[in-house]
Amino acid sequence: QVQLVESGGGLVQAGGSLRLSCVVSGGTFSNYAMGWFRQAPGKEREFVASISRIGVRKYYTDSVKGRFTISRDNAKNTLYLQMNSLKPEDTAVYYCAAARPGVPLELGRSFDYDYWGQGTQVTVSS
C-alpha cells in the first residue's frame, strides 16, 4: 500500500517562505506523477501544482505561479513544494497525492490521483 506523509507546514508571516515535503513509501516513487493540492476552511480542495515522474513537466495553478516551485528527488522518494512570498490567502491544509499513470497532469483534477497524504497545515498571517 502506497503511503504519503507530508511535513513542513506551520505559521509564517505574509511574505515569508516554507518548504513542504512529502515522503512516499510502499511503492516505486518514480512510477508516479505527483501533485500538491490544498483546502482552505469552507472551500473545496484545489489544485496547486503537479510534476511528471522524472520532473520534466511541471504545472501550476495561476495564483501560485512565480511564487511556488514543485520538485522531486526520486532517490529520496520525496516530493517538495517550495513556497515563497506567501500570502494570507495561501492559508490551507496542503496535501500531496500520487497520480494514476497517463492522466493529464495539466488539468489538476483531484480524481486523477489515487493516493493521498494526511495533509499539513499552512497558516499565513497578515
Side-chain angles (χ1 to χ4, degrees):
Q1 179 72 8
V2 177
Q3 294 186 323
L4 294 76
V5 179
E6 302 97 335
S7 62
L11 173 64
V12 64
Q13 288 189 333
S17 298
L18 284 174
R19 188 176 81 155
L20 305 183
S21 299
C22 171
V23 177
V24 178
S25 61
T28 303
F29 180 59
S30 58
N31 284 349
Y32 297 97
M34 300 293 296
W36 287 99
F37 290 76
R38 65 186 179 186
Q39 187 166 19
K43 295 187 176 181
E44 293 186 355
R45 188 172 299 188
E46 67 169 348
F47 168 75
V48 176
S50 60
I51 187 169
S52 59
R53 291 185 297 160
I54 59 173
V56 174
R57 292 179 291 125
K58 302 178 183 181
Y59 304 97
Y60 300 90
T61 192
D62 285 346
S63 63
V64 308
K65 284 179 181 177
R67 299 188 299 122
F68 290 11
T69 302
I70 189 171
S71 63
R72 66 190 296 161
D73 186 336
N74 285 351
K76 295 182 178 179
N77 294 346
T78 303
L79 174 73
Y80 301 100
L81 185 68
Q82 177 67 44
M83 305 186 295
N84 298 329
S85 302
L86 282 160
K87 304 175 181 180
E89 52 264 43
D90 294 319
T91 295
V93 177
Y94 283 70
Y95 301 89
C96 64
R100 286 194 301 280
V103 300
L105 295 178
E106 66 273 21
L107 297 183
R109 303 179 306 192
S110 59
F111 60 77
D112 285 330
Y113 293 77
D114 281 340
Y115 303 103
W116 293 80
Q118 82 290 347
T120 185
Q121 176 70 47
V122 171
T123 302
V124 184
S125 63
S126 57

